[in-house]
Amino acid sequence: MKPLINSALFFGMICIQTVQGQDKPAKLPGDTTLPSSKTELSNIASYEKDKFAYHVEDYFSKPKVDDFKLSPDGESISFRQKDAQGKRNLYVKNIKTGTTVKVLTEGKELIRLYLWANNNRIIYQQDKGGDENYQLFAINKDGTAGKALTPFPKVKVTTIQQLENDPNSLIIEMNLDNPEIFEPYKLNITTGKIQNLFRNTDKKNPASGFDFDKNGVLRAYTIRFNGTQNKLMYKAPGDKVFKLVNTSTWKDDFSILNFDYTDPAGNRVYVNSNIDRDKSAILLYDMKQKKVIKTLFENDHFDVSGLKISKKRKNTIDYFSYTGERSETLPVSDYFKALYHKFTSKFKDKDIEIVSVTDQEDKYLLSVSSDRLYQTYQLYDAVKDKFELVQDVMPQLKEADMAKMLPVHFQTRDGMTIYGYLTLPNGATADKPVPLIVHPHGGPYGIRDEWGFNSQVQLFASRGYATLQINYRGSGGYGKDYLLKGSKQIGRNMLNDLEDGVAFVLQQGLINKDKIAIYGASYGGLATLGSLVKTPDLYKCGVDYVGVSNLFTFINSFPPYWKPLLKQFYEQWYNPENAEEHQIMTDVSPALHVDKIQTPLFVIQGANDPRVNINESDQMVKNLRAKGLETPYLVSYNEGHGFYHEENRITLYQTMLGFFAKHLK
């Protein structure tokens, strides 16, 4: 069964775009002599001299009220509300009486996420300073009986699955006994008692991807064999032992979405698979016969993966979903067809996400958004057939003032069709071409940019900059061939895709060819640095945000839980033990080629980043400054792989805008 919460591994090193003054207590990570001072950063920000209708705070201050969720019984609605100190505290409101209780005060460490575990108990996650060792906590909806459920140092909780028939327990995965290997545990959310549900006795070929049914019975798991193969093991409720269903490689996807509970034998499951096909499809599969019973949903152009089943209406499939140019929902059941028609008729041309639905399906909490609408929460009462606006999350951002995000596609120099998005500032014309910011996404593999509201892109548009987001080869969602064409292409064809995308938008006549910048986070930071090495004359400046700079030091700093996937990394990225690929790694590691960089660079790093160690940024800054190149460096000592604290985000984007203003205006 698909878990409610999961964690990305290094194939998706996403930075959630969200700096702090450079206070430097003792024993901090990295070289503390390198970060720019507050005064230096403020001076850069001051280059943004023009007056604009919107400030950085309008886009990057955290909402006053947001993150709404319904309790399973629909009697309560929870939300986060920001106080005068910028802390986003947790509240619960009784829908019938209107009584509101402050449940939890956010302290030094941020509440990363929360959810209702049952009608009374709420669970939430926190780490320490962005180290991503997420710990789990629980508290009652009235603010009592708070408890740390996983108080284990340097242990990471990665997966949370609720149990339909046991609301007082969860299934979690954590690396409690071995930092490299995760195992599943049953967790009592009141007492904190844990029970191990599977022991990884073969440390060289560990099991992962555990699939439990609604009763908490382990039905399937995947053995990572020799680091690159996946062996799916399955056991129906009546069987005594797990049996091998199939063997695939990391290049294939065969994952269980849910179990078909209408099958008394327990052999039928819903799977998402691209085995023997290019685009992932949703299949009904017989695990005993090892064959496809029926292809339930597929798309000719995009991978599909979303499946929603109603527990109340005898496990009826309500809808399928996928991401194409936009998010798409395909209603299946008669019930949901009628319901979704109500939603789409009410909120025309908007993205509609069901955030919460009660167990009785009498209330639906919807998130409504678009490329120009940040987000509103809407409560639909199915009994009364009535919509109610719960919250306009960012009311200061007027939809009519925001820029449109346009899907684009183009042909690369080697004949591949690449997709992406172009956002132009309002009023851009051929008579007055505008500067361009190329913004490659992180990952790189399996991740993609999507259509929707993007605070960074809208901020840039408000300053007169266009933004090009390219889903280069290796990105996810466009099929297996599209994904695999990115293998062994970091620093090579993946950068060519960015250059070809720039050439494409220049042909449209709206971009000033002499005012182009590049900015990316995580892998996007590596792409930024690589582009400044490969095509130093194309870009006027660059911004590297928690980016890899040296593939050799990057590999050596992997967190322990990436180690079991190292062989896959070697097949997908590069293998330093192969002489030819070792040379390629040398060629595409920007920190080893700073002599070729002529462009001003702004570097940003979270000091506690477990994915991209601070040394990646430190060595880049040292090398560039040694050759006399302007390299402002912003480090936050309470952040990791991306900045989440409000004050840090605001400082980051104020400085970035000043940097762009200095070099693009």
Side-chain angles (χ1 to χ4, degrees):
M1 184 176 178
K2 196 172 184 179
L4 290 168
I5 302 172
N6 213 329
S7 297
L9 293 170
F10 55 69
F11 312 110
M13 297 186 300
I14 305 176
C15 172
I16 301 178
Q17 279 77 9
T18 51
V19 180
Q20 163 125 325
Q22 309 305 307
D23 299 322
K24 300 172 183 175
K27 298 182 181 179
L28 291 173
D31 184 341
T32 57
T33 67
L34 292 175
S36 302
S37 68
K38 290 182 180 180
T39 300
E40 290 170 327
L41 296 173
S42 179
N43 288 340
I44 294 171
S46 69
Y47 281 95
E48 179 78 324
K49 301 180 183 300
D50 296 335
K51 302 297 182 182
F52 299 96
Y54 293 98
H55 303 286
V56 168
E57 291 85 349
D58 293 319
Y59 297 95
F60 288 101
S61 289
K62 294 185 179 180
K64 293 180 179 178
V65 185
D66 76 330
D67 205 2
F68 289 83
K69 292 178 175 66
L70 285 174
S71 62
D73 59 12
E75 292 185 0
S76 303
I77 187 168
S78 55
F79 57 91
R80 307 280 297 278
Q81 182 169 312
K82 188 170 68 171
D83 63 20
Q85 288 71 46
K87 297 298 183 181
R88 298 170 66 233
N89 305 315
L90 179 63
Y91 292 80
V92 171
K93 178 180 178 181
N94 183 294
I95 293 177
K96 185 176 181 179
T97 66
T99 303
T100 300
V101 175
K102 184 180 181 181
V103 175
L104 185 64
T105 299
E106 187 176 59
K108 176 183 176 182
E109 302 299 345
L110 302 179
I111 301 170
R112 298 293 177 169
L113 57 84
Y114 81 94
L115 58 85
W116 288 86
N118 55 38
N119 290 319
N120 181 58
R121 201 101 168 117
I122 294 172
I123 60 172
Y124 61 98
Q125 276 188 332
Q126 291 181 306
D127 68 352
K128 292 186 177 181
D131 67 1
E132 298 187 11
N133 287 322
Y134 297 115
Q135 300 299 297
L136 199 62
F137 302 81
I139 196 166
N140 289 341
K141 67 179 181 181
D142 62 0
T144 63
K147 186 173 182 60
L149 298 176
T150 58
F152 311 117
K154 297 183 179 180
V155 170
K156 177 173 182 164
V157 176
T158 64
T159 299
I160 300 172
Q161 179 180 320
Q162 292 173 291
L163 300 177
E164 182 178 332
N165 297 324
D166 186 359
N168 294 314
S169 298
L170 299 172
I171 303 292
I172 66 171
E173 291 180 31
M174 55 182 173
N175 54 345
L176 182 61
D177 294 332
N178 185 326
E180 296 184 11
I181 297 173
F182 291 86
E183 294 177 332
Y185 296 81
K186 187 174 183 179
L187 170 68
N188 185 293
I189 59 173
T190 301
T191 66
K193 181 181 178 180
I194 61 172
Q195 175 190 355
N196 184 283
L197 301 176
F198 185 95
R199 289 291 182 188
N200 260 309
T201 56
D202 186 350
K203 305 302 182 183
K204 293 183 178 180
N205 302 293
S208 62
F210 303 96
D211 289 292
F212 292 84
D213 65 17
K214 63 183 179 181
N215 298 313
V217 176
L218 180 61
R219 299 270 290 273
Y221 61 88
T222 300
I223 297 173
R224 176 55 67 100
F225 186 73
N226 287 335
T228 59
Q229 290 184 311
N230 296 314
K231 294 188 174 185
L232 178 63
M233 310 298 292
Y234 186 79
K235 184 175 74 170
D239 294 341
K240 294 183 179 181
V241 297
F242 284 89
K243 298 177 182 178
L244 178 66
V245 176
N246 65 33
T247 300
S248 59
T249 74
W250 62 266
K251 300 176 183 180
D252 299 310
D253 180 28
F254 190 91
S255 55
I256 295 174
L257 298 176
N258 213 325
F259 301 98
D260 181 0
Y261 292 108
T262 66
D263 173 24
N267 292 314
R268 296 201 305 255
V269 299
Y270 299 103
V271 303
N272 187 219
S273 176
N274 65 0
I275 293 179
D276 297 326
R277 60 192 304 137
D278 182 55
K279 307 295 189 298
S280 291
I282 297 175
L283 314 172
L284 182 61
Y285 193 86
D286 189 308
M287 302 293 266
K288 184 175 183 179
Q289 299 296 325
K290 302 179 183 179
K291 68 177 184 179
V292 176
I293 300 171
K294 185 180 181 181
T295 299
L296 299 175
F297 183 59
E298 60 185 330
N299 184 278
D300 291 339
H301 305 289
F302 303 100
D303 294 325
V304 302
S305 61
L307 168 69
K308 178 60 178 177
I309 296 176
S310 169
K311 293 182 291 185
K312 180 188 176 191
R313 286 174 282 107
K314 299 181 180 179
N315 296 293
T316 301
I317 295 177
D318 269 343
Y319 62 86
F320 301 112
S321 60
Y322 69 97
T323 302
E325 288 188 344
R326 293 180 53 170
S327 296
E328 302 287 350
T329 298
L330 283 300
V332 177
S333 68
D334 291 340
Y335 170 85
F336 195 77
K337 285 178 181 177
L339 182 68
Y340 197 65
H341 178 72
K342 291 178 184 291
F343 295 167
T344 55
S345 297
K346 176 72 173 178
F347 309 109
K348 295 180 176 63
D349 200 34
K350 297 290 191 293
D351 276 358
I352 302 168
E353 177 190 355
I354 298 175
V355 177
S356 302
V357 57
T358 58
D359 289 341
Q360 295 303 311
E361 299 181 355
D362 56 346
K363 292 186 181 72
Y364 290 80
L365 181 64
L366 308 178
S367 169
V368 179
S369 63
S370 74
D371 57 338
R372 299 198 294 164
L373 174 64
Y374 185 92
Q375 184 185 39
T376 66
Y377 283 96
Q378 306 280 343
L379 183 62
Y380 176 69
D381 189 316
V383 176
K384 298 178 181 178
D385 189 21
K386 180 182 177 182
F387 290 95
E388 176 187 349
L389 174 64
V390 176
Q391 185 73 29
D392 184 347
V393 177
M394 297 285 265
Q396 73 275 19
L397 299 176
K398 304 304 180 185
E399 185 176 359
D401 294 339
M402 301 297 110
K404 292 182 179 180
M405 180 180 283
L406 306 173
V408 296
H409 64 273
F410 57 89
Q411 294 292 118
T412 64
R413 65 193 70 180
D414 60 349
M416 186 174 175
T417 300
I418 295 292
Y419 301 88
Y421 299 92
L422 176 65
T423 302
L424 294 165
N426 294 333
T429 65
D431 295 334
K432 194 174 182 180
V434 297
L436 174 70
I437 297 172
V438 180
H439 185 42
H441 64 73
Y445 298 112
I447 308 302
R448 59 161 290 181
D449 278 320
E450 301 178 8
W451 185 91
F453 194 95
N454 185 306
S455 295
Q456 293 183 115
V457 169
Q458 293 295 341
L459 174 65
F460 298 155
S462 75
R463 269 49 179 178
Y465 306 126
T467 302
L468 177 62
Q469 298 168 275
I470 297 173
N471 286 325
Y472 44 77
R473 68 191 71 201
S475 299
Y478 298 96
K480 187 191 303 186
D481 182 64
Y482 198 101
L483 173 68
L484 295 181
K485 281 185 175 177
S487 297
K488 309 290 187 183
Q489 294 304 319
I490 287 175
R492 303 198 287 174
N493 276 331
M494 291 168 101
L495 295 187
N496 291 346
D497 293 344
L498 303 183
E499 297 159 28
D500 294 346
V502 171
F504 165 76
V505 296
L506 287 175
Q507 291 172 3
Q508 313 311 308
L510 299 172
I511 302 300
N512 186 331
K513 65 179 180 62
D514 296 320
K515 294 185 177 181
I516 302 175
I518 184 166
Y519 152 54
S522 195
Y523 163 77
L526 173 59
T528 294
L529 297 174
S531 295
L532 298 186
V533 170
K534 185 173 181 289
T535 50
D537 297 328
L538 181 59
Y539 301 104
K540 295 291 289 185
C541 63
V543 177
D544 162 31
Y545 183 13
V546 294
V548 176
S549 70
N550 182 327
L551 296 189
F552 299 101
T553 55
F554 173 52
I555 292 173
N556 290 336
S557 65
F558 278 179
Y561 42 82
W562 284 4
K563 299 292 176 61
L565 298 167
L566 191 59
K567 288 185 179 179
Q568 177 181 336
F569 179 92
Y570 287 169
E571 289 191 9
Q572 204 165 14
W573 289 56
Y574 299 107
N575 183 353
E577 298 170 7
N578 176 291
E580 180 181 353
E581 293 187 16
H582 188 282
Q583 183 59 52
I584 295 173
M585 290 175 64
T586 302
D587 294 342
V588 302
S589 292
L592 306 180
H593 300 281
V594 295
D595 56 302
K596 298 179 181 178
I597 296 179
Q598 308 299 325
T599 306
L601 177 69
F602 175 30
V603 179
I604 305 157
Q605 181 67 45
N608 305 313
D609 193 336
R611 309 189 198 188
V612 179
N613 187 276
I614 191 172
N615 180 51
E616 294 299 305
S617 293
D618 277 3
Q619 62 182 297
M620 199 72 203
V621 171
K622 285 180 181 177
N623 293 347
L624 287 171
R625 287 180 179 171
K627 62 170 286 187
L629 197 65
E630 174 192 353
T631 316
Y633 187 24
L634 175 57
V635 175
S636 175
Y637 290 96
N638 65 341
E639 301 282 15
H641 197 61
F643 291 2
Y644 295 83
H645 292 265
E646 180 179 84
E647 66 275 17
N648 297 349
R649 295 193 299 177
I650 291 171
T651 300
L652 185 157
Y653 289 104
Q654 287 175 337
T655 309
M656 189 185 299
L657 285 183
F659 185 77
F660 284 144
K662 179 178 181 180
H663 298 290
L664 295 180
K665 291 186 176 179

